[in-house]
Amino acid sequence: AAPEFEGRIRTAPTLDAALEWCEERLLADADAAPERVTLASFLEAELADARAVTVLSEAFEPVAFAPGEALMRQGAAPDVLYFVADGKVTARLERRDGPPLRFETMEGGSLVGELGFYTGRSRTASVVADAPTRAHRLTREALERVTADAPEVAAAFHVLVVRSLARRTGRLMAVLEAVQR
């Protein structure tokens, strides 16, 4: 929920909502347009193998999401992961006793849903499009086909996912450290 004016003071239901509103205003004032990233450019930057880029690009299927549409729902089977090309999505914990709790907002160039995809556990959060979003979906079956047909490409993709998870963990740890100060 967006902060509301009370005279000259803005209020928000949570500290996170207030900070997110401030971040959005700062980015809008800076006229920072999100970078457009294609699946191929992402894979080329992460992998040094043109064949791997081709094989993986063919394994992913393009999809589009309207604002408010879920890429995945909390509790659902972890049978897909997504690469967000452009747009904005938010991972959030759905709660019975209150509004959703935002975990992370991600824009173009992000892998989404890889943790559940690899652990096989039900989705621990929902991921919802905040804006019109173009993404690419990789199903478990498509990755199994890549593994059978090109095991070296699948291995390179697994390393890519590990690096992505490590970067995200590092960012989240930095946020946690900042909050604890």
Side-chain angles (χ1 to χ4, degrees):
E4 297 178 13
F5 274 117
E6 288 183 15
R8 295 182 43 100
I9 298 173
R10 288 195 184 268
T11 60
T14 66
L15 176 60
D16 184 61
L19 289 172
E20 183 177 20
W21 183 87
C22 291
E23 291 167 356
E24 295 293 331
R25 300 294 88 58
L26 288 170
L27 289 172
D29 290 347
D31 197 27
E35 182 182 337
R36 290 187 157 241
V37 181
T38 66
L39 176 62
S41 67
F42 171 75
L43 293 171
E44 288 166 1
E46 294 287 332
L47 305 169
D49 180 351
R51 179 172 178 266
V53 171
T54 300
V55 169
L56 289 167
S57 293
E58 291 171 358
F60 278 84
E61 102 182 71
V63 290
F65 297 93
E69 194 173 351
L71 284 72
M72 57 193 68
R73 289 274 177 213
Q74 186 174 318
D79 51 358
V80 299
L81 65 81
Y82 293 91
F83 168 76
V84 176
D86 63 52
K88 185 166 72 169
V89 300
T90 296
R92 63 189 195 190
L93 177 67
E94 307 291 344
R95 303 183 298 174
R96 288 189 200 109
D97 59 345
L101 176 64
R102 181 177 73 108
F103 285 145
E104 182 179 14
T105 298
M106 297 156 280
E107 294 184 336
S110 300
L111 285 176
V112 179
E114 68 277 31
L115 192 58
F117 188 80
Y118 276 86
T119 64
R121 293 186 182 149
S122 298
R123 299 292 182 189
T124 57
S126 293
V127 177
V128 177
D130 298 324
T133 298
R134 287 184 320 115
H136 298 269
R137 173 178 36 221
L138 179 68
T139 64
R140 187 169 311 287
E141 293 79 19
L143 184 56
E144 287 170 359
R145 282 192 302 276
V146 170
T147 302
D149 297 342
E152 71 286 354
V153 171
F157 181 72
H158 297 315
V159 170
L160 178 158
V161 171
V162 168
R163 283 196 309 260
S164 175
L165 284 168
R167 284 191 296 266
R168 180 174 295 146
T169 300
R171 285 192 307 271
L172 293 174
M173 293 303 293
V175 168
L176 183 58
E177 288 174 6
V179 169
Q180 290 178 339
R181 291 184 195 160

